[in-house]
Amino acid sequence: MYWCKSFKQFLFITTCLSGLAACRPDVHVSTGNKRYFDLKAFINADSARLRKAQPAVNKTVTHNNSQTQTKRIVIKNWGQELALFAASDINKPAWRDSYRIDEQGDSVVYTALLPELFTRRISIRRINGKVTKINISNATKNLLYKTTEHLTYYPDSLYVIDKEQQVKLMGSNRYVISGVIAPPQPSPGVREF
């Protein structure tokens, strides 16, 4: 399938370019507590939960706003499927004071204070302490490429990855991946009232 081949090429280029951006040294300082919401731990725990539940997913991939394919699948590796969300975690010791924290009611927003930080903004909404929505905006830019990501995750129902990349001499690509997670089905022989 065309979109699958193009998407694999896109992921390869993205991985290579992300590797270049990751070559900056981090200062590793031991800190006891995490200052920000532990996004990586949350996504890892939710990935394990979804792997165990094995819900059906209506997954749609759109390339450059024109080529769209939808399939109903069961995702075996949720950690890989939600990897961009986990990779947006901002709890590195070097970034301890790099984000402004705005809390209002059941929501918290982390906004980058430094322009070179990849994760620009994370918004988390909770109801009765339970995470109900996560929005993430990521961006990076250098002489060779510009990448933006908008990630949205509603646990138990939907995830959206909207990624656009502009590479000099290669043009731009935009992929939108959405997965509608089917509600859990009752076990055979169990009647619901």
Side-chain angles (χ1 to χ4, degrees):
M1 293 185 194
Y2 173 77
W3 70 267
C4 186
K5 183 178 177 185
S6 295
F7 184 66
K8 286 179 183 176
Q9 291 170 342
F10 176 73
L11 284 179
F12 175 75
I13 291 169
T14 300
T15 302
C16 290
L17 294 175
S18 295
L20 291 173
C23 289
R24 289 178 273 159
D26 284 337
V27 177
H28 294 284
V29 179
S30 177
T31 59
N33 297 8
K34 298 194 185 274
R35 178 171 168 84
Y36 311 113
F37 176 79
D38 195 344
L39 182 62
K40 187 174 185 178
F42 177 81
I43 294 297
N44 288 342
D46 223 41
S47 295
R49 179 187 61 78
L50 289 165
R51 183 175 51 251
K52 185 176 179 182
Q54 295 186 340
V57 176
N58 290 326
K59 185 173 179 178
T60 302
V61 177
T62 303
H63 177 238
N64 290 336
N65 296 325
S66 60
Q67 298 172 341
T68 301
Q69 288 219 329
T70 301
K71 289 185 178 181
R72 187 170 180 88
I73 60 173
V74 173
I75 295 170
K76 300 292 183 194
N77 189 341
W78 278 97
Q80 182 178 356
E81 190 73 11
L82 300 176
L84 291 176
F85 291 87
S88 300
D89 186 63
I90 58 175
N91 276 301
K92 290 189 178 181
W95 299 341
R96 186 160 178 82
D97 297 316
S98 299
Y99 289 86
R100 184 179 72 233
I101 303 170
D102 297 307
E103 294 186 59
Q104 186 173 2
D106 288 338
S107 296
V108 62
V109 176
Y110 304 104
T111 306
L113 299 173
L114 305 171
E116 66 270 13
L117 293 173
F118 178 65
T119 300
R120 305 302 306 147
R121 186 175 187 273
I122 298 175
S123 171
I124 299 163
R125 186 171 59 206
R126 292 184 174 108
I127 295 179
N128 297 326
K130 182 180 177 184
V131 174
T132 58
K133 182 181 180 184
I134 298 173
N135 272 332
I136 302 169
S137 294
N138 294 327
T140 189
K141 182 179 180 180
N142 65 29
L143 294 174
L144 298 175
Y145 67 94
K146 176 183 175 184
T147 300
T148 58
E149 296 175 349
H150 298 285
L151 314 173
T152 303
Y153 184 52
Y154 292 89
D156 291 325
S157 61
L158 173 72
Y159 64 95
V160 178
I161 299 168
D162 185 345
K163 186 167 186 160
E164 185 170 5
Q165 188 171 56
Q166 297 171 349
V167 181
K168 283 195 177 178
L169 304 175
M170 294 182 69
S172 63
N173 276 298
R174 181 177 182 208
Y175 283 90
V176 179
I177 301 166
S178 63
V180 178
I181 303 167
Q185 299 295 317
S187 300
V190 177
R191 294 180 5 188
E192 290 189 11
F193 297 95

